[in-house]
Short mmCIF file of all heavy atoms in Angstrom, two decimals:
data_model
loop_
_atom_site.label_atom_id
_atom_site.label_comp_id
_atom_site.label_asym_id
_atom_site.label_seq_id
_atom_site.Cartn_x
_atom_site.Cartn_y
_atom_site.Cartn_z
N LYS A 38 -9.30 0.21 9.11
CA LYS A 38 -9.79 0.50 10.46
C LYS A 38 -10.79 -0.51 10.99
O LYS A 38 -11.25 -0.39 12.13
CB LYS A 38 -10.39 1.91 10.50
CG LYS A 38 -11.64 2.10 9.64
CD LYS A 38 -12.06 3.56 9.72
CE LYS A 38 -13.30 3.83 8.91
NZ LYS A 38 -13.67 5.26 8.94
N ARG A 232 -9.91 7.72 4.54
CA ARG A 232 -11.04 7.57 5.47
C ARG A 232 -11.18 6.12 5.94
O ARG A 232 -11.76 5.86 6.99
CB ARG A 232 -12.32 8.04 4.78
CG ARG A 232 -13.51 8.15 5.71
CD ARG A 232 -14.73 8.67 5.00
NE ARG A 232 -15.24 7.72 4.01
CZ ARG A 232 -16.47 7.77 3.49
NH1 ARG A 232 -17.27 8.74 3.84
NH2 ARG A 232 -16.86 6.88 2.61
N ASP A 233 -10.65 5.17 5.14
CA ASP A 233 -10.78 3.75 5.47
C ASP A 233 -9.66 3.25 6.38
O ASP A 233 -9.67 2.08 6.77
CB ASP A 233 -10.76 2.91 4.19
CG ASP A 233 -12.00 3.12 3.33
OD1 ASP A 233 -13.02 3.55 3.90
OD2 ASP A 233 -11.94 2.87 2.12
N SER A 406 -17.27 0.45 0.17
CA SER A 406 -16.04 0.79 0.87
C SER A 406 -16.06 0.19 2.26
O SER A 406 -17.10 -0.27 2.74
CB SER A 406 -15.87 2.31 0.96
OG SER A 406 -16.79 2.85 1.89
N ILE A 407 -14.91 0.21 2.92
CA ILE A 407 -14.81 -0.28 4.30
C ILE A 407 -15.66 0.57 5.24
O ILE A 407 -16.32 0.07 6.15
CB ILE A 407 -13.33 -0.25 4.76
CG1 ILE A 407 -12.54 -1.36 4.05
CG2 ILE A 407 -13.22 -0.42 6.27
CD1 ILE A 407 -11.06 -1.30 4.31
N SER A 408 -15.69 1.87 5.00
CA SER A 408 -16.34 2.80 5.94
C SER A 408 -17.85 2.76 5.88
O SER A 408 -18.52 3.01 6.87
CB SER A 408 -15.87 4.22 5.66
OG SER A 408 -14.48 4.33 5.81
N GLU A 409 -18.42 2.42 4.73
CA GLU A 409 -19.87 2.57 4.54
C GLU A 409 -20.70 1.78 5.54
O GLU A 409 -21.66 2.33 6.11
CB GLU A 409 -20.27 2.22 3.11
CG GLU A 409 -21.77 2.37 2.90
CD GLU A 409 -22.15 2.45 1.43
OE1 GLU A 409 -21.57 3.28 0.71
OE2 GLU A 409 -23.00 1.67 1.04
N PRO A 410 -20.41 0.47 5.80
CA PRO A 410 -21.26 -0.26 6.76
C PRO A 410 -21.24 0.38 8.14
O PRO A 410 -22.27 0.45 8.81
CB PRO A 410 -20.60 -1.65 6.81
CG PRO A 410 -19.85 -1.77 5.52
CD PRO A 410 -19.39 -0.40 5.20
N VAL A 411 -20.08 0.91 8.56
CA VAL A 411 -19.99 1.56 9.87
C VAL A 411 -20.80 2.84 9.89
O VAL A 411 -21.55 3.11 10.82
CB VAL A 411 -18.49 1.87 10.20
CG1 VAL A 411 -18.40 2.58 11.54
CG2 VAL A 411 -17.68 0.60 10.20
N LEU A 412 -20.66 3.64 8.84
CA LEU A 412 -21.38 4.92 8.77
C LEU A 412 -22.88 4.70 8.71
O LEU A 412 -23.66 5.42 9.34
CB LEU A 412 -20.90 5.72 7.56
CG LEU A 412 -19.43 6.17 7.60
CD1 LEU A 412 -19.05 6.83 6.29
CD2 LEU A 412 -19.21 7.12 8.76
N LYS A 413 -23.30 3.67 7.94
CA LYS A 413 -24.73 3.38 7.83
C LYS A 413 -25.32 2.97 9.18
O LYS A 413 -26.37 3.43 9.58
CB LYS A 413 -24.98 2.29 6.80
CG LYS A 413 -24.99 2.80 5.36
CD LYS A 413 -25.44 1.69 4.42
CE LYS A 413 -25.62 2.26 3.00
NZ LYS A 413 -26.07 1.21 2.06
N SER A 414 -24.61 2.07 9.88
CA SER A 414 -25.13 1.62 11.17
C SER A 414 -25.16 2.76 12.17
O SER A 414 -26.07 2.87 13.00
CB SER A 414 -24.26 0.47 11.72
OG SER A 414 -22.93 0.90 11.93
N GLY A 415 -24.15 3.65 12.09
CA GLY A 415 -24.12 4.81 12.98
C GLY A 415 -25.30 5.73 12.71
O GLY A 415 -25.94 6.24 13.62
N ALA A 416 -25.61 5.93 11.43
CA ALA A 416 -26.75 6.81 11.05
C ALA A 416 -28.05 6.21 11.53
O ALA A 416 -28.94 6.91 12.02
CB ALA A 416 -26.74 7.02 9.55
N SER A 417 -28.19 4.87 11.40
CA SER A 417 -29.42 4.20 11.84
C SER A 417 -29.60 4.34 13.34
O SER A 417 -30.69 4.61 13.83
CB SER A 417 -29.35 2.71 11.46
OG SER A 417 -29.23 2.58 10.06
N ALA A 418 -28.49 4.18 14.07
CA ALA A 418 -28.58 4.28 15.52
C ALA A 418 -28.96 5.70 15.92
O ALA A 418 -29.75 5.92 16.85
CB ALA A 418 -27.23 3.91 16.15
N HIS A 419 -28.39 6.67 15.20
CA HIS A 419 -28.70 8.08 15.51
C HIS A 419 -30.16 8.37 15.22
O HIS A 419 -30.85 9.05 16.00
CB HIS A 419 -27.78 8.98 14.69
CG HIS A 419 -28.03 10.43 14.92
ND1 HIS A 419 -27.66 11.05 16.12
CD2 HIS A 419 -28.60 11.40 14.15
CE1 HIS A 419 -27.98 12.30 16.05
NE2 HIS A 419 -28.57 12.56 14.89
#
Side-chain angles (χ1 to χ4, degrees):
K38 65 183 180 183
R232 190 177 68 163
D233 292 337
S406 72
I407 288 173
S408 300
E409 180 162 308
V411 178
L412 295 174
K413 279 188 173 180
S414 62
S417 299
H419 180 72

